Amino acid sequence: MSNVKKTIITKKQAEEIKKTYPTPFHIYDEKGIEDNAKELISSFSWCKGFKEHFAVKATPNPTIMKILHNLGCGMDCSSLTELMLCEKIGITGDDIMFTANETPAEEYAYALKLGATITLDDLTHVDFIADVAKKNGTTLPECMSLRFNNGKNFAVNNQIMGTPQDAKYGMTREQLAEAIRKLKGYGVKRFGLHAFLASNNLGNDYYPTLAGILFETAKELAEETGADFKFVNLSGGVGIPYRPEDDKPNIPIIAAKVKAEYERIFDGDMKPSLRTELGRYMLGPYGNLITTVLHFKHIYKEYAGVDACAANLMRPAMYGAYHHITVLGKENEPANVKYDVVGGLCENNDKFAVDRMLPALEVGDILAIHDSGAHGFAMGYNYNGRLRSAELLLKKDGSVCMIRRAETPDDYFATMVF
Ligand SMILES: *Cc1c(COP(=O)(O)O)cnc(C)c1O
């Protein structure tokens, strides 16, 4: 089956926007973000206290974060600056999950100060964070969360994370029990259990399978250690249909399957709530990278050179990831010319598409590179002196506003010592 991939803006809108905000830029779709978040929240409404903590790293933009927070989402942070970003927009306390690894002491101190719910990545971090709390004249919070790595393969997409045995995240089953005992010794009363075992999973079975593993584990740990589990955190990992032939995971079905696991396993008094930390699923499809065709060259292949590059969207260069491309205004023309669509970095992997069939392109054509809403702008960097682009928002009323300005050369020079 092939789905038509719709762009966020038309050619006419893009031409209008370009007059104020030159390409390349990322544009996000407010209505799409909201409708999708509402569907997630209502699908899990069977679970008391359910909360999606948006993975800030996917799209660290205050306007986007506020849209989600207004719908009832919390945030998931993994660094000091992400914590500070939440604080700046008034998101604190249990609205923040802090899930970091190789975490420096000052980051734990900041997370403790904000009252965030902290997920520990390793057993050795129990004493480490207890020491941080003590040095800051406090104790550990009432509730702490632990990250599990079950070390077993999932029959799902592991291109991004690697197999769990090879992944650097989380602790073993034995270490979880040990961590709980130690944390109880430090006065912690309630616990969360977290795992993130595979990224960008299509189909409807990743969360239900993971939920089964985590629910069983939480139940066993509760019996073994007497721990009171406040929540189970299914983390991120639900995928999006990057390719036209992919189908969007069906969240109502996924939530119903998780519910079935919940009812099967928690048949007694134990009734933890659920959290998720979706990033890609919340934002990916609701962002497009808009770029203009600058040049063509024909050597051994046909190249179309555009004004965006891997510094604006790194996934194709980094993972060979597929991002669909629509030529605005040529949606109905036959895709009968084969191109490599490339950016200007002095890196041969700076290719948005290789051997892609597209309608015949002309200089000045505007391309929409789809699904850039998560891990797109966010992974941007300044290699080759490339500057980060603006981020724009297509609002529900059809207007467009800038939600981050493009960098200028002054930003590039700001950290340099002359
Ligand atoms: C990256 C990340 C997420 C979000 O992952 P997606 O694949 O974007 O859903 C959630 N939790 C943690 C701890 C992460 O590192």
Side-chain angles (χ1 to χ4, degrees):
M1 194 179 117
S2 190
N3 303 303
V4 176
K5 288 192 68 85
K6 279 201 66 189
T7 55
I8 291 171
I9 48 173
T10 61
K11 180 179 182 199
K12 195 155 163 261
Q13 284 171 303
E15 280 174 341
E16 199 51 42
I17 296 166
K18 261 185 90 164
K19 291 179 191 159
T20 316
Y21 306 107
T23 56
F25 56 79
H26 285 268
I27 187 160
Y28 304 95
D29 170 16
E30 183 178 34
K31 183 169 189 310
I33 295 168
E34 285 199 1
D35 289 350
N36 183 63
K38 284 179 191 164
E39 183 191 50
L40 174 80
I41 292 165
S42 77
S43 300
F44 279 98
S45 60
W46 57 266
C47 177
K48 194 162 172 271
F50 168 79
K51 192 173 254 187
E52 151 67 9
H53 288 256
F54 174 61
V56 172
K57 73 163 193 266
T59 321
N61 183 294
T63 306
I64 300 287
M65 290 161 67
K66 281 187 215 158
I67 291 171
L68 292 171
H69 190 240
N70 287 340
L71 295 173
C73 295
M75 297 293 139
D76 174 51
C77 298
S78 54
S79 65
L80 179 65
T81 44
E82 288 181 1
L83 289 168
M84 294 167 86
L85 173 56
C86 284
E87 188 185 23
K88 273 182 188 291
I89 57 174
I91 301 175
T92 58
D94 190 37
D95 269 354
I96 303 178
M97 290 290 313
F98 182 60
T99 314
N101 48 87
E102 315 321 326
T103 316
E106 74 260 24
E107 302 201 356
Y108 274 141
Y110 212 89
L112 288 167
K113 189 189 90 180
L114 291 183
T117 301
I118 298 166
T119 303
L120 300 179
D121 185 61
D122 188 58
L123 176 59
T124 59
H125 288 225
V126 174
D127 287 335
F128 185 84
I129 191 171
D131 193 47
V132 171
K134 198 167 156 208
K135 286 201 176 109
N136 286 277
T138 58
T139 52
L140 290 183
E142 197 222 359
C143 176
M144 301 264 325
S145 166
L146 302 169
R147 185 163 182 169
F148 182 32
N149 181 339
N150 71 341
K152 292 194 191 94
N153 248 339
F154 256 87
V156 288
N157 172 13
N158 278 316
Q159 183 199 5
I160 297 171
M161 305 269 296
T163 55
Q165 305 93 295
D166 295 330
K168 66 179 180 176
Y169 310 107
M171 40 188 125
T172 67
R173 173 66 180 76
E174 296 71 36
Q175 289 172 337
L176 287 176
E178 176 69 12
I180 290 171
R181 289 194 191 95
K182 283 186 142 214
L183 286 166
K184 282 184 147 194
Y186 286 115
V188 174
K189 303 256 171 339
R190 306 191 72 193
F191 297 88
L193 186 63
H194 172 289
F196 188 1
L197 301 182
S199 189
N200 192 30
N201 298 284
L202 293 173
N204 297 326
D205 290 323
Y206 172 67
Y207 261 6
T209 309
L210 176 66
I213 294 169
L214 289 180
F215 296 165
E216 296 277 11
T217 307
K219 192 173 162 181
E220 282 170 26
L221 285 166
E223 282 158 12
E224 223 171 286
T225 65
D228 173 12
F229 279 90
K230 181 176 173 184
F231 64 84
V232 169
N233 188 336
L234 300 176
S235 186
V238 177
I240 59 169
Y242 285 103
R243 292 172 183 272
E245 63 269 26
D246 294 338
D247 287 318
K248 186 179 187 231
N250 186 315
I251 280 289
I253 291 177
I254 291 172
K257 287 185 170 194
V258 171
K259 181 170 189 255
E261 289 296 286
Y262 191 98
E263 287 169 353
R264 180 175 70 79
I265 296 163
F266 297 127
D267 50 0
D269 292 339
M270 188 172 173
K271 294 273 176 261
S273 71
L274 277 184
R275 295 184 180 188
T276 54
E277 290 170 353
L278 295 167
R280 188 186 318 276
Y281 183 80
M282 303 307 284
L283 252 299
Y286 312 108
N288 285 171
L289 172 58
I290 306 295
T291 182
T292 304
V293 176
L294 296 181
H295 297 287
F296 293 99
K297 71 183 283 181
H298 183 79
I299 43 172
Y300 310 101
K301 299 183 83 175
E302 191 69 35
Y303 292 95
V306 296
D307 61 3
C309 65
N312 305 109
L313 176 66
M314 194 189 208
R315 299 186 70 261
M318 191 172 184
Y319 314 114
Y322 180 94
H323 279 261
H324 198 66
I325 296 177
T326 297
V327 187
L328 296 182
K330 295 187 177 175
E331 287 83 352
N332 299 320
E333 290 186 19
N336 54 10
V337 185
K338 194 190 271 183
Y339 294 100
D340 281 13
V341 179
V342 300
L345 290 188
C346 305
E347 274 292 337
N348 194 40
N349 64 356
D350 184 13
K351 295 174 182 167
F352 290 113
V354 173
D355 294 336
R356 185 75 56 89
M357 297 305 292
L358 293 171
L361 294 171
E362 293 151 78
V363 167
D365 272 345
I366 307 173
L367 310 184
I369 303 181
H370 292 250
D371 303 306
S372 72
H375 313 295
F377 178 93
M379 281 178 152
Y381 55 109
N382 284 125
Y383 187 55
N384 262 194
R386 297 289 171 182
L387 303 175
R388 288 182 185 79
S389 78
E391 290 181 292
L392 310 178
L393 181 69
L394 175 68
K395 303 221 288 186
K396 283 183 286 183
D397 65 9
S399 64
V400 171
C401 68
M402 184 177 70
I403 58 174
R404 184 195 303 262
R405 70 163 172 81
E407 284 180 344
T408 66
D410 283 344
D411 295 309
Y412 181 69
F413 296 128
T415 54
M416 293 185 188
V417 178
F418 288 96

